[in-house]
Amino acid sequence: MSALWTSAEIATAAGGAASGDFAVTGVAFDSREIGPGDLFVAMKGEATDGHRFLDKAFAAGAAGAIASEDTTYPHVRVAESFVALNALGRASRERTQAKVIGVTGSVGKTGTKEALFAALDRTAPGRAHRSVKSYNNHTGVPLSLARMPRETRFGIFEMGMNHAGELAALTQLVQPHVAIVTAIAPAHREFFASEAEIADAKGEIFGGLQPGGTAIIPFDSPHRDQLIAAARPHAGRIVTFGQSEGADVRANYVVRSPKGGSMITVTLPDAQLSYTIGQPGDHWVSNSLAVIAAVQAVGGDLAQAGLALAELGGLKGRGERRRIARDGGAALLIDESYNANPASMAATLQVLGAEEVDGRRIVVLGAMRELGGETADFHAALAAPIEAAKVDEAILVGPEMAALAKALGGHIKMTHVPDTASAIDLARAAIGPGDAVLVKGSNSVGLAALVEALAGGES
């Protein structure tokens, strides 16, 4: 493997001084993620100072560091490490010949990014790169760029925001050839007066498009025209995707697969494609259409993309499915513990309702955060999709769930608890063989711990 960065390249990009010659094969700012050959970016934050972890990073095999303080380890000394990381990300974008795709949206960002990576890695094996986890903010995006190998042919970067103006800055770093908005929904509503303002903030992604770039927009969204207007000054081409007549990339035939996914026939401007997606739910049909549109826009192989979508598994915390042992059999555990907003809650409850089960349908739902003054209304509104999904028992976690507990009344068996720790034993006792269990909530609720506790009985 060729070096990702040499100390001289890092010093030039960051405007720093190298202590000596070294080369790195990876980049991280969390000492727990450091592996042999990596560059450790020692950043100072509000809670901690990365310089305290230099010993740990080099013990784990770091080959060098970016530091704003003196150290005896191989390093590039800079005035401020965060600024240096941004500069390194910018230098990576400037040197690459890759086709770059930026992905944002209120829901579906990470799944679409992962599906794009799987599809384009089949087109160019070993030469596709994407941001990992949900590294989509002001530190995660430059880190993901800095990690991009110089030989990369396709780069896929997730970009998130919870305030206006944040995407405008991130898209100028990424400078995508293709910019996707997956969907608009009331996520982070606490910081916006309306959903239309959220659409405006998501539309900022188009401002960084390369000349002649492609904007990919959800046709079925009520904010479609607003997004098109945001894209028009920057995009050489605007492509819409959806299931309605008039979409440029349109699913004109969708049938549910016996295994839970969907079989789809898609009409594109100059082609038709049939493929299967392994993930269940209408939201994944929509995600897949955005993927197909982007693969075509960057010159990828559509047939290979279809194969990749068929084989795509669930992501940890975002739809991963596990069989957990129960006395006399096993239960299905659907892990959606990483994030939640009203739209994604409704979508995953619909998936649970369509699940064929021998036992009961159980939900463990954590509070949805950052919804502002409408928090109670958004939570109470989940009663309808819960009832439509034929849920037999609900365990509700967090004080915000009081409104939903009241809305459900005595319609189904229901328990409301203050925190995840209080829910673990309840969930263990509730689940029996043949049951299907959906666990979903905002990441800050900590339902991942409940998932791991239940998965201790994985079969």
Side-chain angles (χ1 to χ4, degrees):
M1 180 186 296
S2 62
L4 180 63
W5 296 100
T6 65
S7 56
E9 289 171 333
I10 297 166
T12 298
S19 64
D21 291 335
F22 60 86
V24 302
T25 54
V27 186
F29 52 61
D30 186 335
S31 61
R32 295 168 295 185
E33 296 183 358
I34 288 290
D38 282 350
L39 174 72
F40 176 55
V41 184
M43 293 199 299
K44 294 182 179 181
E46 294 180 4
T48 189
D49 183 348
H51 296 83
R52 293 170 45 204
F53 302 98
L54 283 163
D55 289 344
K56 181 179 179 182
F58 279 89
I66 288 177
S68 58
E69 297 179 1
D70 287 333
T71 175
T72 58
Y73 293 113
H75 68 284
V76 173
R77 177 69 184 269
V78 297
E80 186 179 339
S81 297
F82 171 70
V83 174
L85 176 62
N86 270 270
L88 197 62
R90 192 173 296 109
S92 178
R93 179 63 186 89
E94 289 172 356
R95 77 180 181 182
T96 189
Q97 298 299 308
K99 290 291 186 181
V100 175
I101 303 171
V103 183
T104 194
S106 302
V107 292
K109 293 186 295 294
T110 302
T112 299
K113 177 255 299 181
E114 290 294 326
L116 271 169
F117 172 77
L120 293 171
D121 192 54
R122 281 178 172 262
T123 294
R127 296 184 65 192
H129 170 79
R130 91 291 204 187
S131 44
V132 299
K133 300 182 181 178
S134 288
Y135 280 174
N136 62 19
N137 64 6
H138 66 290
T139 54
V141 169
L143 175 69
S144 298
L145 282 165
R147 287 173 164 176
M148 182 165 55
R150 61 188 81 219
E151 303 88 358
T152 297
R153 183 173 164 191
F154 300 106
I156 309 107
F157 298 92
E158 178 181 341
M159 288 179 270
M161 64 88 202
N162 56 20
H163 289 85
E166 291 178 338
L167 271 177
L170 295 178
T171 194
Q172 292 300 329
L173 269 177
V174 174
Q175 298 178 50
H177 297 95
V178 175
I180 302 171
V181 175
T182 58
I184 303 297
H188 310 300
R189 184 61 184 274
E190 178 181 357
F191 308 112
F192 296 93
S194 66
E195 199 170 281
E197 286 193 5
I198 295 173
D200 281 338
K202 294 297 184 183
E204 291 172 10
I205 192 174
F206 303 126
L209 274 170
Q210 289 284 284
T214 301
I216 297 179
I217 290 170
F219 184 85
D220 300 321
S221 170
H223 305 287
R224 175 192 67 211
D225 293 343
Q226 186 179 351
L227 291 170
I228 288 173
R232 191 170 285 122
H234 310 287
R237 184 176 179 228
I238 296 174
V239 176
T240 59
F241 65 93
Q243 297 189 52
S244 300
E245 192 74 36
D248 297 314
V249 177
R250 180 169 65 90
N252 51 22
Y253 181 74
V254 179
V255 62
R256 301 305 172 212
S257 165
K259 295 184 178 181
S262 300
M263 293 175 282
I264 307 169
T265 298
V266 177
T267 298
L268 297 96
D270 54 0
Q272 190 168 72
L273 177 70
S274 295
Y275 61 91
T276 298
I277 54 173
Q279 296 302 302
D282 288 341
H283 58 299
W284 263 107
V285 174
S286 181
N287 291 348
S288 76
L289 297 174
V291 169
I292 293 300
V295 169
Q296 185 178 55
V298 296
D301 188 316
L302 290 177
Q304 292 288 355
L307 293 173
L309 287 166
E311 296 177 2
L312 189 69
L315 307 175
K316 186 177 180 65
R318 299 177 182 274
E320 184 178 45
R321 292 175 164 231
R322 300 157 111 173
R323 303 296 299 185
I324 56 173
R326 300 281 95 184
D327 290 340
L332 171 64
L333 175 61
I334 305 172
D335 177 13
E336 288 273 1
S337 61
Y338 187 82
N339 211 346
N341 59 52
S344 65
M345 278 283 200
T348 50
L349 283 165
Q350 184 181 50
V351 169
L352 179 67
E355 196 73 39
E356 293 186 8
V357 297
D358 296 325
R360 302 187 308 152
R361 294 180 180 88
I362 299 170
V363 294
V364 182
L365 301 182
M368 300 179 291
R369 299 277 161 81
E370 296 185 354
L371 294 178
E374 297 179 81
T375 292
D377 291 341
F378 280 126
H379 283 82
L382 294 177
I386 286 173
E387 292 177 9
K390 304 179 289 293
V391 171
D392 298 288
E393 181 172 354
I395 299 171
L396 310 179
V397 183
E400 298 93 334
M401 279 292 177
L404 176 56
K406 181 179 179 180
L408 286 172
H411 295 286
I412 64 171
K413 184 177 180 181
M414 181 268 298
T415 310
H416 180 209
V417 297
D419 52 41
T420 294
S422 306
I424 290 175
D425 287 341
L426 287 171
R428 281 196 181 112
I431 301 168
D435 291 346
V437 186
L438 169 65
V439 180
K440 187 168 181 65
S442 287
N443 192 41
S444 59
V445 179
L447 288 179
L450 181 142
V451 169
E452 292 310 310
L454 296 178
E458 198 162 358
S459 64

